[in-house]
Amino acid sequence: MKERNQTSVREFILIGLSEDPKLKLPLFIFFVHVYGITLLGNLCIIILIRISPRLHTPMYFLLSNLSFVALCYSSTITPNMLENILSRTKTISFLGCITQIFFFVGTGSVEVFLLAVMPYDRFVAICNPLVYATIMTNQACMYLVVISYLVAYIHSMIHIICMLRLDFCGSNRITHFYCDVPPLLNLSCSDTSLKVAILNFVTGSLILGSLICIIVFYTYILYTILKISSSETRLTVFYTCSSHFASVTLCFGTLVFMYISPSSKYAMEQDRVASVFYTVIIPMLNPMIYSLRNKDVKEALRKVINRKAW
């Protein structure tokens, strides 16, 4: 009788972005700089919001949490990727792989939920300004963030439970630069059809639900803005939403591309490129988007720099 758990693979080999030895050093230098900018940019946003009284508002509280999640998200993937670029073995243990998936899915889900919560703050501020202070209290913001983390890591645990019930008894070469769910499903010698259906349904529902919330809130915001008679005021209100809209476009655009692409060798190569953008580049771009296009952040930064200069 066949035993239920036949997992013989105890470690995986991460193929990485390229197997060409000539690309090792250029890739390492590039991603070290990207990771350094990511750490510096997101830490600056968190510290600036913390020390600037002007930024002690619900919108910037949510932004600081988004920067913290981007920090954690990038740190889940990039250090291991940098090590593997220069390493000869490129191995990761089964437990290490499962742990990476847990934090990767968890922090990525928190980011998606925070991006869905942030337009709610703008919706209340623009469409119901008289009750904004009553609705968006510190306690309400904390609840929204805690719920985002809670649901995100429940989502992550569903992935982990499905992964732990897989058998790996063949190849251990993961055609990716980190442990992701689709490559592991491809390596499994178990019947993965039910698990794939469950994961696609849960993940798709959460992404689609978040996207619908964003679209609904922005529809109300747009409707309210178009009723404003002053073109200058209308432009100012548009400007306050532009940074978040840019982040949503980058995040959800990449997610949709990754999850609707067909399961084939060529699609896996495309997925690796999209994953670089999602896991490494976007966490670096978010602080730039919010700082370069935000007058409050730029003014707070100017004050801090002037204070240090004195």
Side-chain angles (χ1 to χ4, degrees), residues 7-14 89-98 168-174 179 184 187:
T7 300
S8 59
V9 175
R10 293 301 174 189
E11 65 178 17
F12 296 100
I13 299 172
L14 294 167
T89 57
K90 302 180 185 297
T91 58
I92 184 170
S93 67
F94 180 79
L95 180 60
C97 198
I98 293 298
F168 297 97
C169 48
S171 172
N172 67 339
R173 290 169 61 87
I174 299 177
C179 285
L184 280 184
L187 287 182

Side-chain angles (χ1 to χ4, degrees), residues 150-163:
L150 184 62
V151 176
Y153 278 95
I154 290 173
H155 175 225
S156 183
M157 278 305 303
I158 294 173
H159 279 74
I160 296 304
I161 291 168
C162 287
M163 292 297 102

Side-chain angles (χ1 to χ4, degrees), residues 35-51 64 67-68 70-71 283 287:
Y35 186 52
I37 294 169
T38 301
L39 292 179
L40 183 62
N42 285 288
L43 280 174
C44 282
I45 291 288
I46 294 168
I47 294 170
L48 189 63
I49 291 172
R50 179 72 178 174
I51 66 176
S64 66
S67 291
F68 174 73
L71 254 177

Side-chain angles (χ1 to χ4, degrees), residues 217-228:
F217 288 137
Y218 271 118
T219 300
Y220 278 104
I221 289 170
L222 183 62
Y223 177 73
T224 303
I225 290 173
L226 292 176
K227 292 197 299 183
I228 299 174

